[in-house]
Amino acid sequence: MDFLFHTWHWSITGFLIASIMLTLNYFGKVFGMSSNLRTLCTMAGADKFADFFKFDTKTQYWNLMVILGAMIGGFVAVHFMSDPSNVSINPQTITQLQAMGFDAPNGKLLPDAMFGVQVFESPKMILILLFGGLLIGFGSRYAGGCTSGHAIAGMSNLQRQSLKAVIGFFVGGLLMTHFILPLIF
């Protein structure tokens, strides 16, 4: 039973994700988080302002459960499955974070100064979050889906468009991490 309350090995979670993708493919469903935002916007009345939001939301109600599952799963993972002893961050990464003014994550994957509640105390960080959110929204719309949709669903269906998008996500992440992030902080 102790196994359930620690971080699972990648082979187990990978097998579970693959099983879910095969099941969705069998039933003709396509997974993606950004499509949930489109569904929620349509339900809120955005279809009155843009043709993009004009579609039958009833076909996507099942996908809204993904949001609920992600929230519940995140809560369970943080409060019941967090084991800081198995988080191993490269010492060079910690040194680079400290050079930008961030303390070591201390057993967490993300530093509190960048991802904690105190972020909302800094106008600079609020602007970074808002601008980053706009870029992510534009990027996922421009790419025809988000990272989860392309990397998990599209790649499992061997879609060339998803391969291009995933390569773009990684290149963009590397550029951001190594060149832009140090300039911001």
Side-chain angles (χ1 to χ4, degrees), residues 6 35 91-92 105 107 158 182:
H6 289 287
S35 58
Q92 289 178 332
L158 303 175

Side-chain angles (χ1 to χ4, degrees), residues 98-165:
Q98 288 172 338
M100 288 188 276
F102 297 105
D103 291 331
N106 297 325
K108 298 179 184 177
L109 290 176
L110 306 169
D112 285 335
M114 193 182 292
F115 297 96
V117 178
Q118 63 266 30
V119 167
F120 297 107
E121 297 171 1
S122 165
K124 176 183 173 183
M125 290 301 289
I126 291 172
L127 284 173
I128 290 170
L129 288 172
L130 290 173
F131 186 67
L134 286 171
L135 286 176
I136 289 171
F138 172 79
S140 64
R141 178 65 191 117
Y142 184 74
C146 61
T147 53
S148 61
H150 281 297
I152 299 172
M155 294 287 286
S156 67
N157 287 323
L158 303 175
Q159 294 178 359
R160 187 177 301 161
Q161 172 188 349
S162 291
L163 177 62
K164 292 176 185 176

Side-chain angles (χ1 to χ4, degrees), residues 12-109:
I12 296 169
T13 53
F15 174 78
L16 291 172
I17 290 170
S19 299
I20 290 169
M21 295 315 304
L22 286 172
T23 304
L24 289 174
N25 284 339
Y26 179 77
F27 288 107
K29 304 290 185 188
V30 178
F31 167 78
M33 288 300 280
S34 61
S35 58
N36 288 319
L37 181 58
R38 180 181 181 205
T39 303
L40 291 172
C41 288
T42 301
M43 291 170 66
D47 56 334
K48 295 174 182 67
F49 304 103
D51 289 339
F52 174 70
F53 296 106
K54 292 182 180 175
F55 73 101
D56 184 15
T57 57
K58 292 178 184 139
T59 63
Q60 289 298 310
Y61 284 161
W62 71 271
N63 208 9
L64 292 176
M65 291 294 114
V66 173
I67 294 175
L68 183 62
M71 290 190 297
I72 292 170
F75 179 83
V76 168
V78 167
H79 294 285
F80 300 107
M81 297 178 74
S82 293
D83 182 12
S85 66
N86 66 359
V87 175
S88 178
I89 298 177
N90 187 317
Q92 289 178 332
T93 302
I94 293 173
T95 303
Q96 289 173 348
L97 286 170
Q98 288 172 338
M100 288 188 276
F102 297 105
D103 291 331
N106 297 325
K108 298 179 184 177
L109 290 176

